[in-house]
Amino acid sequence: MLDKTKKDWWKSAVAYQIYPKSFQDTTGSGTGDLQGIIRRLDYLKTLGVDVLWLSPVFASPQVDNGYDISDYRAIDPMFGTLDDMRELIAEGKKRGIGIMLDLVLNHSSDQHPWFLEAKKSKESPYHDYYVWRDGTPDAPPNDMQAAFGGSAWEWVEEIGQYYFHQFAPQQPDLNWENPAVRREIYDMILWWMDQGVEGFRLDVIDQIAKEPDEGITGNGPRLHEFLRELSANTFQKGCLVTVGEAWGADTERAKLYSAPDGSELSMVFQFEQMVLDQQKGKEKWDLAPLPFAEMKKSYAKWQKELHGTGWNSLFLNNHDLPRTVSRWGDDKEYRVMSAKALATMLHGMQGMPYVYQGEELGMTNIRLPIEKYRDLETLNLYRARKEQGVPEEEIMRSIYAKGRDNARTPMQWDDGENAGFTTGTPWLTVNENYHTINAKAALDDPDSVFHYYQKLIALRKQYPVFVHGDFTLLEAEHPQLFVYERSYEGDRLLVVCNLSGQQAAYALPQGWEDSEVLIANAEGGLDGTFSPWQAMILYKAKV
Ligand code: TEU
């Protein structure tokens, strides 16, 4: 177990993201719950993870599956009670697993008591908790668009003003310029720290310092000032791991966020690689092939730039992204091989790896008729593109490739009814491939994706070079192979991944032929031929 009294214990940790709604139901309601997570803690312990990031479980009308919080100190009854949360924290601690809560601090639900008061009158002390502008019903302050479509301004007739919402109208943005808002947030975080949580993920944190009159939402001028104040008043009072979601982060900004002095956060999620397979300047739905060399160079840049100056987060999946094995791997013939190859590519790097539920099983995307989708982003997109006259097939192709429900289908535990997720009716369709892709089968199979992840996670704990080593990209232009070296105090790793469905010829660099194979997803390779999706990590100890 990691020594969590050390400030930077998380540098050798591995996190696992749970989407609670889809993880494990214990009541037959069709949605997952906290008791379900407790039931599966031993499974997670077997995998070897140290931190559990839970997507929001706070009280919420669930317009955006909990990313619209109506009470930051209460658990939504759908998931259980505060006592269940306390039990989860305690049971996690027994197993060396800390709980990381997902705080949505950029906006609240429109059902939050603050907002209900705020919209009653301009004189309410809560009015200034949100972002308001004057206007007339037919003329919003400007033409800023919400991330989920439509204007970012919503008219409130009663007080004759517009409020600003970056996401759905039911997610009004909080006004961080108001010190009273900031104080409320600090008190709430301190309260959760008292409950024993070990970390926080901060939703869209790069959006909090907005200047909507200037059209600025991300990376506003006061962003890092706010973060330093937040951190000094809360996180720095304990030994926490914190990660901010920052779509707008480049490496320079990431160095501020994740400065080694701990003045802001431990790290951020950046998305530079995740937007490569879309047409430049367009939306994620506007598909384009992954530019492989560009992807490698982008990872290499982040690895190099943040080495010694910040910290990376490493992820290929989350609740907003499609399943990587379907996206960048091969979810058919080479599903197991490609899932392992992509994992090797990522887990060999420096930073904190995040495994998203089901990734360790090689779970795949899903294709559903439109009426079966539940995600508001997907449904809004469908409606909007229909109105624009985009052909049905093209819209569905985008949704199959990038829709958020790909990641949100229920966790596949076994080959029983509803994959062992629920005895009721699942809130979102279970992927029919659960008969073969499920945790029980994976645990029984020594060659499963699960056991491969288990080994990758264990290697990080065993060899300091995984945690501390520097990074050198090799074969930058090779169209199939992702190859890099890590090195730390004379210890070296060579990571070679064939990320293609074709054989690749590759002679190992001199001196590596007789090295130790720490992990590999197939035999061979050392003779210069890599089979489709073959990957391995080689090790050489200091001489
Ligand atoms: O996502 C941030 C965000 O910018 C999303 O709009 C993201 O771009 C989109 O999901 C990609 O398809 C966070 C949460 O992760 C997401 O689940 C929430 O819906 C969103 O914030 C609003 O809170």
Side-chain angles (χ1 to χ4, degrees):
M1 282 195 206
L2 300 171
D3 176 5
K4 290 185 174 169
T5 61
K6 282 185 29 212
K7 278 270 178 204
D8 60 354
W9 59 266
W10 42 267
K11 288 195 172 166
S12 41
V14 176
Y16 185 94
Q17 182 189 355
I18 288 186
Y19 199 66
K21 209 173 169 181
S22 301
F23 193 62
Q24 175 70 68
D25 178 18
T26 60
T27 64
S29 65
T31 56
D33 47 52
L34 294 181
Q35 284 298 331
I37 301 175
I38 295 171
R39 183 189 289 178
R40 298 298 182 175
L41 280 174
D42 286 329
Y43 168 83
L44 298 164
K45 174 83 190 153
T46 305
L47 183 60
V49 297
D50 312 283
V51 176
L52 289 187
W53 155 23
L54 311 186
S55 279
V57 289
F58 311 99
S60 164
Q62 303 290 333
V63 169
D64 188 18
N65 286 354
Y67 285 90
D68 48 322
I69 298 174
S70 55
D71 184 347
Y72 290 88
R73 299 184 199 216
I75 300 299
D76 196 282
M78 168 169 106
F79 295 121
T81 64
L82 198 53
D83 277 339
D84 292 324
M85 178 54 90
R86 293 191 175 115
E87 185 181 337
L88 172 59
I89 292 169
E91 289 299 317
K93 273 197 208 298
K94 281 187 200 161
R95 294 164 177 83
I97 298 177
I99 300 300
M100 174 190 269
L101 294 180
D102 197 333
L103 291 176
V104 188
L105 306 177
N106 175 70
H107 46 271
S108 73
S109 159
D110 65 345
Q111 298 306 306
H112 194 293
W114 297 339
F115 189 74
L116 295 176
E117 287 302 313
K119 69 170 193 183
K120 276 188 194 155
S121 136
K122 290 184 202 168
E123 273 65 59
S124 162
Y126 291 100
H127 188 70
D128 197 33
Y129 273 40
Y130 295 87
V131 180
W132 299 92
R133 293 293 182 270
D134 294 331
T136 51
D138 49 354
N142 58 33
D143 58 5
M144 288 182 76
Q145 296 292 299
F148 295 150
S151 168
W153 297 100
E154 187 79 4
W155 176 248
V156 177
E157 184 63 46
E158 294 80 351
I159 54 173
Q161 279 192 318
Y162 282 89
Y163 68 85
F164 183 73
H165 62 88
Q166 193 119 221
F167 296 92
Q170 298 90 337
Q171 294 168 300
D173 279 40
L174 285 161
N175 177 18
W176 275 69
E177 299 287 333
N178 181 350
V181 168
R182 305 206 297 275
R183 190 69 251 169
E184 295 263 17
I185 288 173
Y186 306 157
D187 289 346
M188 177 271 290
I189 293 177
L190 290 169
W191 184 81
W192 276 115
M193 285 168 63
D194 274 348
Q195 307 297 316
V197 306
E198 293 179 15
F200 296 99
R201 180 250 187 199
L202 306 177
D203 191 59
V204 289
I205 201 66
D206 58 349
Q207 310 282 321
I208 59 174
K210 58 204 104 252
E211 297 204 335
D213 303 315
E214 315 297 322
I216 295 176
T217 58
N219 301 318
R222 297 187 70 187
L223 173 61
H224 293 281
E225 173 199 333
F226 288 156
L227 280 170
R228 283 191 289 267
E229 189 191 281
L230 165 68
S231 174
N233 280 283
T234 57
F235 312 140
Q236 288 177 46
K237 297 180 190 288
C239 292
L240 295 176
V241 55
T242 52
V243 52
E245 185 197 26
W247 282 78
D250 56 18
T251 50
E252 287 313 306
R253 293 194 172 100
K255 287 183 207 174
L256 291 174
Y257 284 116
S258 66
D261 65 3
S263 55
E264 296 192 14
L265 304 171
S266 311
M267 69 198 104
V268 284
F269 293 126
Q270 57 83 15
F271 293 86
E272 194 175 287
Q273 300 84 27
M274 293 298 142
V275 298
L276 290 175
D277 56 1
Q278 69 193 47
Q279 295 166 42
K280 293 230 155 40
K282 291 203 177 172
E283 294 183 275
K284 70 174 190 181
W285 312 104
D286 302 303
L287 312 177
L290 176 70
F292 186 59
E294 208 180 314
M295 181 265 250
K296 291 192 285 184
K297 286 176 199 165
S298 167
Y299 275 116
K301 178 182 74 189
W302 280 85
Q303 287 288 299
K304 272 199 175 320
E305 293 269 323
L306 266 59
H307 182 70
T309 62
W311 202 253
N312 271 293
S313 61
L314 307 172
F315 67 98
L316 290 169
N317 292 270
N318 69 29
H319 63 292
D320 294 330
L321 300 173
R323 296 276 178 186
T324 332
V325 69
S326 301
R327 183 187 195 176
W328 291 352
D330 173 348
D331 62 8
K332 304 207 166 53
E333 186 184 353
Y334 293 113
R335 185 183 64 84
V336 170
M337 282 291 283
S338 66
K340 292 176 180 175
L342 288 160
T344 312
M345 180 274 275
L346 195 75
H347 284 244
M349 292 186 197
Q350 183 174 40
M352 181 151 155
Y354 290 76
V355 181
Y356 178 71
Q357 67 181 45
E359 177 184 339
E360 78 282 14
L361 305 175
M363 276 177 62
T364 67
N365 281 353
I366 196 167
R367 289 171 178 228
L368 296 170
I370 190 66
E371 62 278 5
K372 297 252 175 176
Y373 285 94
R374 295 289 172 264
D375 172 33
L376 91 169
E377 184 187 62
T378 301
L379 298 172
N380 288 350
L381 174 275
Y382 181 82
R383 230 172 288 130
R385 296 220 163 170
K386 270 273 174 198
E387 275 166 25
Q388 291 160 21
V390 180
E392 172 89 13
E393 271 170 45
E394 198 182 307
I395 305 176
M396 293 315 290
R397 207 178 317 124
S398 298
I399 293 174
Y400 297 154
K402 295 283 185 74
R404 304 198 295 185
D405 282 341
N406 282 310
R408 300 176 181 185
T409 62
M411 180 71 176
Q412 294 164 208
W413 292 108
D414 55 43
D415 63 359
E417 199 191 348
N418 298 320
F421 163 66
T422 181
T423 54
T425 307
W427 73 277
L428 178 65
T429 312
V430 178
N431 197 317
E432 62 191 17
N433 62 22
Y434 76 86
H435 294 286
T436 48
I437 305 174
N438 64 66
K440 187 167 177 294
L443 286 167
D444 290 343
D445 172 7
D447 287 330
S448 65
V449 180
F450 179 93
H451 285 116
Y452 197 87
Y453 269 84
Q454 183 185 49
K455 192 160 179 191
L456 282 172
I457 294 167
L459 287 172
R460 182 166 291 268
K461 308 275 155 75
Q462 206 180 333
Y463 294 89
V465 58
F466 279 87
V467 177
H468 302 290
D470 64 12
F471 180 100
T472 309
L473 182 67
L474 306 178
E475 306 294 331
E477 303 299 334
H478 198 292
Q480 295 162 280
L481 297 175
F482 197 151
V483 187
Y484 58 88
E485 237 189 84
R486 305 276 315 275
S487 132
Y488 177 63
E489 294 181 346
D491 279 5
R492 287 156 72 202
L493 297 176
L494 180 71
V495 180
V496 187
C497 308
N498 179 3
L499 298 184
S500 82
Q502 286 81 43
Q503 220 178 49
Y506 179 60
L508 297 175
Q510 239 194 352
W512 282 97
E513 308 83 357
D514 55 354
S515 51
E516 187 185 342
V517 179
L518 291 184
I519 188 167
N521 64 356
E523 303 280 316
L526 300 171
D527 58 357
T529 307
F530 279 73
S531 51
W533 298 104
Q534 184 173 358
M536 61 175 66
I537 302 182
L538 305 177
Y539 174 70
K540 265 171 132 24
K542 179 182 175 171
V543 277

